[in-house]
Amino acid sequence: MDLIPSFSVDHTAIVPGIFTSRVDYTGDNAVTTYDIRLTRPNREPAVDVAAMHSLEHIIATFLRNDPDWKDEVIYWGPMGCLTGFYLILKGNRSSGEIYDLIKKAFESVQNVQSVPGTSPKNCGNYLMHNLGMAKWYAARFAEYLAENAGNAEIFEYPKSERLITDDGQQFYDS
């Protein structure tokens, strides 16, 4: 079985940032999956589960209401490892081209007074939210993005070396 591309990313070297995970095409139409990484995997603690859930609700609502981007958004959701989010957009833009959108989305969390969609009818785990911690993580990430805007490292995945044996088997070092 082939190793999926996201497992070829060197998770020991990745830093918080905005990365293009994959681009898929159907005819001339592209769909791009972005890795919005809030913490350093395996070096920093995972994002608090309740805060992650709140950030999912708040930023999904922000993205789907942004007048310039709402028609491009396909999906916003957390990574299973709780170190970031996936954003899927129509089209094929570089990570740098969505920098302003992501920074603005995380900055917007500070203005939220309550987490949207947190009733039992709207949410599968409506009691598991933490707005205060969500604001802390969002402010931390927005500040980090501002401080590192000129750093290419926050836009480019560190890749693992792919080892290929003489008979064609592929192995990864991560």
Side-chain angles (χ1 to χ4, degrees), residues 77-137:
M79 295 178 174
C81 61
L82 301 176
T83 62
F85 292 89
Y86 289 112
L87 172 62
I88 303 175
L89 295 174
K90 295 175 187 174
N92 181 9
R93 296 167 196 83
S94 71
S95 296
E97 290 176 281
I98 67 163
Y99 169 86
D100 288 334
L101 172 66
I102 299 304
K103 186 171 171 287
K104 189 168 67 168
F106 278 87
E107 288 171 342
S108 77
V109 175
Q110 298 310 310
N111 300 322
V112 172
Q113 300 304 312
S114 63
V115 179
T118 57
S119 75
K121 289 184 179 184
N122 301 128
C123 179
N125 199 348
Y126 77 101
L127 294 175
M128 188 183 70
H129 286 279
N130 187 330
L131 180 57
M133 284 302 298
K135 287 184 177 201
W136 182 84
Y137 282 107

Side-chain angles (χ1 to χ4, degrees), residues 3 9 17 21 26 35 37-38 46 48 57 70-71 81 102 104-105 121 123 129-130 132 140-142 148 155 174:
L3 192 63
V9 174
S21 179
T26 303
D35 170 339
R37 192 69 63 150
L38 276 61
D48 172 77
H57 279 235
K70 66 181 180 180
D71 294 332
C81 61
I102 299 304
K104 189 168 67 168
K121 289 184 179 184
C123 179
H129 286 279
N130 187 330
R140 178 178 179 243
F141 187 60
N148 289 279
F155 299 111
S174 63

Side-chain angles (χ1 to χ4, degrees), residues 38-54:
L38 276 61
T39 66
R40 292 180 65 118
N42 305 310
R43 293 185 180 191
E44 294 179 295
V47 176
D48 172 77
V49 176
M52 190 77 152
H53 191 200
S54 296

Side-chain angles (χ1 to χ4, degrees), residues 20 36 40 47 69 83 92 125 153 157 159 172:
T20 299
I36 312 302
R40 292 180 65 118
V47 176
W69 289 92
T83 62
N92 181 9
N125 199 348
E153 188 179 36
Y157 267 148
K159 293 289 184 181
Y172 294 84

